[in-house]
Every structure is written in structure tokens, then in C-alpha cells.
Amino acid sequence: MERVEIVTEELGTEPDGTRKHTMMLNMGPQHPSTHGVLRVVLYLDGEKVKEAVPHIGYLHRGIEKLCEDITYQKCLPYTDRMDYLASICNNIGFILAVEKLLGIEDEIPERAKVAEVIMFELGRIESHLIGIGANAMDLGAMTAFLFCFKERERIYEILEMVCGARLTTSYPRVGGLPMDLPEDFSDTIRNFLNIFPKTLNEIDSLLTRNKIWIDRTKGVAVISKEQAIDLGITGPILRGSGVPYDLRKAVPYLDYENYEFDIPVANEGDAYARYLCRMEEMRQSLRIIEQALDNLPDGPYIADLPDIVLPEKELVYTKMESLIRHFVLVYNGFETPPGEIYHAVENPKGELGYYIVSDGTGKPYRMRVRGPSFVNLQALPDMVKGGFVSDVVAAIGSIDIVLGEVDR
Amino acid sequence: MTSPPDPFDQIRERISGYILSESTFRGEISFAVGAESIVECCSLLKNTLGFTYLVDVTVVDYLTVKFPRYEVVYLLHRFGENYEENLRIRLKVALEQDDPAIDSVTPVWSGANWLEREAYDMFGITFRGHPDPRRILMPEDYDQFPLRKDFDVRDRESSKRSFERALDEGLE
């Protein structure tokens, strides 16, 4: 409470002679609806927001700096810790960037690519569930949040089954998958595909025509198409403002051009439009997963590239040559051609780009992460200006930020 | 997707006055541009050539590898008609070691605001004419630029000073 203070900026005089001032209100960094450690300083005229200034950096760990001193394989676990609600998507984005740098995209086996698409879309659903659920809970709809979390648990179980970890997946490897998919992979995913649409419909029936939800989100935190492009916003926020831009279609990776899916677009640019986009995107993700599962081929799961891929564990224990190769790869990493690449993927929250500058050694000379949440959060002051304090909560929830990625 | 006339030729022709050199790696095209003409070049690219979306602004510190030391990198995207073209180019501006400064592109794309603030915070590049030239991730009274290659990661003094100051302020 002692952090609330009055800033003596005069706003005018009331009819009875009392003078009005703006009030500075500190929201966060410890506030349940700031989704982590975001601090927003609000300048208020009564309940109206005159100015909002976000302060970030409370979760800054210097991932870009850390990655300069370690080999490419060892950078992978750091990417988990950026957008930790969809760590699998960060992982795959990074792996694809390194594969592009090495120029080995064509050598990746089909099975690995299709599995990565499935995992990527599961990550998208997982992230959107939290995005919608947390947004709804901030506005008082606790039930929708519980429904979302229940489904997310199912996705975590699949992730655990495939890569052994629930949150920090560190899953694919440069060249493919670290191990073959588990035997009951297809059945588990099909089971999920059967159950999930029902819950999605339940969430839909709880929120989409809910009067309170509509009152709290429709016409709130509006951002126009021109503003959104000017600010460099991506993801559901940009699509909610009427721009059908999705990297899966625009600059396809992982053979996304072979899948049939639509890009949901809404024109209103408010929190409700973003919610609708996220809901529809989950349905489209299910379509993609279904197609991918039908086409999941057998065969190798990792590329046959001895200079890049670690040898099989069994060979490391039994063959001298494999042991040496394993040692060299872990110690020095694989050599990369000198050059620089930028590779972006359509993360659940927007464009996640990796800009890697290589000097020819096994460690990135510079690794820049273009996090979608970081750029999207820039829109917050524009979204909340002139609105009520309670709309700030709706706005932050609808941007769907993860501070791990904002601060990196 | 590429129609017979190469879209890059048109771009090259229109901004040829600004381009110092050009390179392509893995199909990604980069143009080196002079520091003094970056805002002019960017407004031309945005207003005439349709690069309405600024993807990223970042810096690479080449310390001893290359001269001049810093390189500011701009990544631009063009949606094209009906959002179907999706063309990307990269602009690179080399900056000297002493007092690196460049004009801000925030008047062209307001999204450059935080990206340039981060570039300043991490590398100490001054963006002239930036509307809000504060640090963004590091504490406001921090006096180092952590992503520079000559930053001493073992030197905790500056972080300690900020931390102690914050503690003192909290106790008041």
C-alpha cells in the first residue's frame, strides 16, 4: 500500500473548488493478473487510465549472452525457459534455425518433421488454453479456467510420454528426434483428439455467449489494423485486428504448406476478437494434428549425419569410435558454416525469430531471440489509454504475455 | 511464388543510392546501408516499397573479428498484395567503436521503440531522436552494457551496486 502515491499533476478544479490530481498506481510486479512479474505504472484520473507505462526486466536472465558461451545443443534447454507455456514450440523453432544455418533441412527424415508438427500444434493448444483460461479467470470466470487446466494436463501427459518432461521439454535434436516416438503415441493422440473438442465446446459455451464475458472484453483494449502493423505485433492479436498473417502460411516451415488449415481472422481488434481467434486456432490445430497423424510415416527418426548427430547410446558404450565421436560432439559441438540466418516460427503468441550469427565454431557468436511477447507488450499503453483500471486486467490477459519471453 | 521479374531487383533499383554492399546466405538477402541515410532509406522502403512491418532491430558486436565494431541489423517484411507476397530483407549498418550512434527509426515504425531501447540497453548504441531512451531490461542505474563482447561476466560490482542501492531505497 505504501507504494501508491499522488503525483501532483493538476487536472482542473471541481465546481466546489476542490482541485483534482492524477494518481499514480503501481500495478505489479506482484499482482495476480500481471501473469508473472510485469509492472505497469498507471496514471489515473479517477477510474480512467490517462497513461500506462510498463516496466519489464524483472525476469531478465541474459539468455542471449549465456548462449554465446555454449554449444548449439546446450542452448536448447535455455529456449524452454523463454515461453514456458509452449516450451516445445520454442525448442522446435530453435532447432529449425540451427538446421537452416547448417543447411541440412532436406536431410531431416519425414517422420521427425511430422512428429514435430504434431508437437508444435499441441504446444499451441496448450498455450492458448492458458491464454484463454487465465484471461477468463482474471475477469472472474473461474470455471473456464479449470476446464482449460484439465485439458492442458492431458497435453502435459502426452509431452511427458514423448520426451520425458512436462514443462521443460528440450525435445527435438538438430537432425530429428532424440528417440523414436513411443508405441502408443498415435493412440494417445487420437484419444486426445476425441476428447478435446468436447471440452473446447464446453469452454465455448461457458464464454462465447456469456454476457459478463462479452461486457468485459468486447470493445476493450482495441488496437486497429494500422496500429498493429506499425507496432510490429504478431500472432492472434494481429489476426484479431484483421491481418491474415500467419508464418505457417506466409513463410512455411516443417512442410506446413502441405497441411490444410485456415487462418482465423477477426476485424474488431478487441479482446473478444482475440479470444475468438484463439478458440478457432485450437480447432485448426486439431485439424493439422489429425492430418499429420494420418500421414505419420515409419522409418528413421533422426538424420544420418555423423558430424552433427550424436551416436546411439549403445554404440557409445561398446565402440571406441562412437565414444570418441560422442566426446567430440559434446565437447566442441558441431561446426557450423560462418554466416548469419534468421528463422522464425509462428509461436502461439506470434512470431518467434532466432537470429544466429555463426563464426564457424561450435558456439553461436551471437544469438538474438525476437520474442513475440516482448514486441506485443508494446501495444499495452495504446490499448488501455482512456479505459478503466479493470480493463487493464482484460488487456494484459488478452495480449497473453509470458514474462519469461519478454525479459529472456 | 516469385514471379518472373525478381522482386529484389526492383528494391535494389529503388534503394541503390543507399546500398553499400549486398550479401546472400541461405537465401536471405542483406543490404549494407550507411548510418547517415538509415532513416531516409527506411522511409523509402516503408512508404514506397511497402515494407510496413519491422520484424526486428538488433545489434551484433564484432569486437576484434570485424571492423567497424558494431553492426545494427534491421529486419523488414513486406506483406504484399492480399498478404500473399511475404518478402523479407535485412539492412545492416556498421558503426564505429567510439560513441556508436545512429538515428532512430521510431518515426518510421513505432514498433522500433522497445527494440531500440533493448539495443541501447545491451550494447550502448545511442539512437538519436528516440522518444523514450531509457534502459528496458537492466536496472535504470546500471552502468554496463552486458551483450558487448568485452563485458566481464565475472565482474559483479555494477550489479551489486544497483542491488545495494535498491535495498537502501527500500529501507527508507
Side-chain angles (χ1 to χ4, degrees):
Chain A
M1 285 300 280
E2 67 275 11
R3 273 178 177 264
V4 181
E5 59 174 286
I6 309 287
V7 177
T8 50
E9 185 201 329
E10 288 205 13
L11 290 168
T13 318
E14 295 275 325
D16 63 348
T18 47
R19 284 185 300 176
K20 280 166 71 184
H21 297 277
T22 45
M23 185 176 80
M24 190 186 88
L25 181 71
N26 212 353
M27 190 169 166
Q30 304 289 330
H31 188 279
S33 77
T34 54
H35 297 232
V37 281
L38 168 68
R39 173 179 161 220
V40 189
V41 179
L42 299 170
Y43 293 93
L44 304 173
D45 172 12
E47 269 286 294
K48 282 260 163 78
V49 178
K50 282 187 74 80
E51 190 72 55
V53 184
H55 288 256
I56 58 171
Y58 292 90
L59 210 58
H60 178 63
R61 295 145 293 174
I63 286 178
E64 292 175 17
K65 185 80 180 173
L66 286 166
C67 288
E68 287 176 6
D69 277 325
I70 48 178
T71 61
Y72 287 94
Q73 299 105 319
K74 290 174 194 161
C75 296
L76 184 64
Y78 284 111
T79 62
D80 293 338
R81 277 114 180 127
M82 293 188 310
D83 180 357
Y84 42 76
L85 296 180
S87 44
I88 192 89
C89 301
N90 296 275
N91 294 159
I92 295 173
F94 175 71
I95 292 299
L96 291 174
V98 178
E99 283 170 357
K100 184 174 181 183
L101 176 69
L102 290 163
I104 55 165
E105 296 107 317
D106 299 334
E107 320 234 357
I108 310 303
E110 208 51 37
R111 187 172 171 83
K113 279 190 192 172
V114 175
E116 279 170 23
V117 167
I118 296 174
M119 301 307 273
F120 202 101
E121 294 307 316
L122 284 175
R124 186 182 313 281
I125 294 174
E126 182 194 334
S127 169
H128 281 348
L129 281 173
I130 298 298
I132 290 172
N135 193 2
M137 189 180 66
D138 289 345
L139 302 181
M142 189 73 187
T143 324
F145 175 74
L146 292 174
F147 278 44
C148 289
F149 254 62
K150 192 183 80 192
E151 281 317 300
R152 187 177 88 141
E153 190 58 31
R154 266 191 246 282
I155 298 181
Y156 271 169
E157 271 162 23
I158 297 174
L159 290 178
E160 192 179 7
M161 184 184 88
V162 175
C163 43
R166 288 155 54 85
L167 193 73
T168 50
T169 46
S170 300
Y171 178 52
R173 297 287 181 271
V174 178
L177 311 177
M179 58 218 141
D180 204 0
L181 296 167
E183 263 174 38
D184 48 353
F185 178 74
S186 294
D187 295 337
T188 319
I189 304 252
R190 284 214 195 276
N191 187 28
F192 174 75
L193 287 177
N194 284 334
I195 298 169
F196 185 62
K198 288 177 200 136
T199 322
L200 204 53
N201 289 338
E202 279 172 335
I203 299 168
D204 189 75
S205 63
L206 274 172
L207 291 177
T208 309
R209 280 171 297 282
N210 180 331
K211 178 124 184 22
I212 304 168
W213 174 250
I214 292 174
D215 282 349
R216 289 299 305 275
T217 55
K218 228 175 194 168
V220 168
V222 181
I223 195 123
S224 74
K225 190 174 178 173
E226 290 72 26
Q227 252 178 322
I229 294 176
D230 192 38
L231 283 165
I233 287 165
T234 45
I237 311 178
L238 185 66
R239 292 189 283 273
S241 295
V243 181
Y245 172 70
D246 187 316
L247 278 161
R248 288 174 294 173
K249 294 260 193 205
V251 192
Y253 52 94
L254 282 176
D255 299 333
Y256 264 110
E257 63 270 33
N258 300 339
Y259 295 92
E260 242 179 71
F261 64 101
D262 302 319
I263 302 174
V265 178
N267 290 318
E268 291 78 12
D270 55 9
Y272 188 68
R274 275 164 231 150
Y275 155 74
L276 289 180
C277 279
R278 290 203 177 96
M279 285 301 271
E280 189 53 34
E281 265 173 42
M282 285 198 272
R283 296 210 169 86
Q284 297 300 330
S285 290
L286 290 178
R287 263 177 84 186
I288 298 173
I289 295 174
E290 209 165 347
Q291 291 169 45
L293 211 52
D294 290 341
N295 299 322
L296 184 67
D298 287 330
Y301 54 88
I302 193 150
D304 183 20
L305 297 163
D307 292 343
I308 292 164
V309 175
L310 288 176
E312 268 178 55
K313 207 74 189 165
E314 204 188 305
L315 294 175
V316 176
Y317 289 136
T318 51
K319 289 239 173 17
M320 191 62 196
E321 295 77 12
S322 298
L323 180 67
I324 293 171
R325 193 151 64 82
H326 186 275
F327 178 80
V328 171
L329 271 176
V330 170
Y331 209 78
N332 296 339
F334 43 74
E335 283 190 1
T336 50
E340 51 186 13
I341 57 113
Y342 176 85
H343 190 271
V345 292
E346 183 70 33
N347 236 35
K349 293 171 181 72
E351 172 169 348
L352 173 76
Y354 291 92
Y355 176 64
I356 301 177
V357 179
S358 158
D359 56 354
T361 59
K363 296 167 184 172
Y365 185 76
R366 163 105 172 94
M367 191 183 93
R368 153 85 181 157
V369 183
R370 189 252 188 227
S373 297
F374 177 75
V375 184
N376 291 352
L377 190 59
Q378 274 194 90
L380 185 68
D382 286 334
M383 280 181 182
V384 301
K385 205 175 272 178
F388 292 108
V389 180
S390 55
D391 292 344
V392 178
V393 175
I396 296 173
S398 78
I399 300 176
D400 188 16
I401 45 160
V402 167
L403 268 297
E405 188 183 70
V406 174
D407 298 342
R408 296 181 300 275
Chain B
M1 205 149 69
T2 317
S3 49
D6 184 4
F8 291 117
D9 282 340
Q10 189 211 352
I11 296 161
R12 223 174 264 133
E13 198 185 301
R14 294 300 298 273
I15 61 166
S16 59
Y18 303 109
I19 303 177
L20 303 175
S21 67
E22 185 190 323
S23 61
T24 309
F25 182 70
R26 303 265 182 254
E28 294 176 2
I29 201 157
S30 314
F31 297 112
V33 178
E36 61 294 335
S37 56
I38 184 70
V39 176
E40 259 177 73
C41 180
C42 285
S43 3
L44 180 73
L45 280 165
K46 187 199 172 185
N47 300 326
T48 323
L49 293 164
F51 284 90
T52 46
Y53 166 35
L54 173 75
V55 182
D56 202 2
V57 177
T58 189
V59 184
V60 186
D61 176 7
Y62 286 105
L63 192 59
T64 52
V65 183
K66 219 155 107 178
F67 183 81
R69 178 172 168 183
Y70 298 105
E71 208 167 68
V72 185
V73 182
Y74 299 83
L75 217 97
L76 317 182
H77 183 98
R78 173 159 97 183
F79 294 114
E81 238 171 88
N82 297 325
Y83 304 98
E84 271 165 4
E85 192 187 17
N86 298 306
L87 204 64
R88 285 197 164 182
I89 60 165
R90 195 149 58 207
L91 300 181
K92 294 204 267 185
V93 180
L95 291 181
E96 300 288 340
Q97 166 156 7
D98 301 323
D99 192 21
I102 189 169
D103 289 332
S104 166
V105 295
T106 31
V108 189
W109 298 279
S110 41
N113 189 330
W114 281 23
L115 296 168
E116 287 184 343
R117 269 177 76 185
E118 197 192 352
Y120 163 71
D121 195 1
M122 294 295 146
F123 289 93
I125 310 276
T126 314
F127 290 90
R128 284 184 294 251
H130 192 282
D132 187 17
R134 288 179 297 139
R135 282 185 177 269
I136 189 161
L137 295 176
M138 303 304 287
E140 271 162 37
D141 53 2
Y142 193 66
D143 54 5
Q144 306 272 319
F145 299 109
L147 272 177
R148 283 188 177 177
K149 285 280 175 183
D150 53 4
F151 173 79
D152 186 359
V153 277
R154 281 161 303 182
D155 175 24
R156 297 291 167 89
E157 275 310 308
S158 44
S159 329
K160 227 169 95 189
R161 276 199 301 276
S162 308
F163 184 63
E164 278 165 0
R165 216 169 299 148
L167 271 184
D168 288 345
E169 278 170 20
L171 289 175
E172 271 167 20

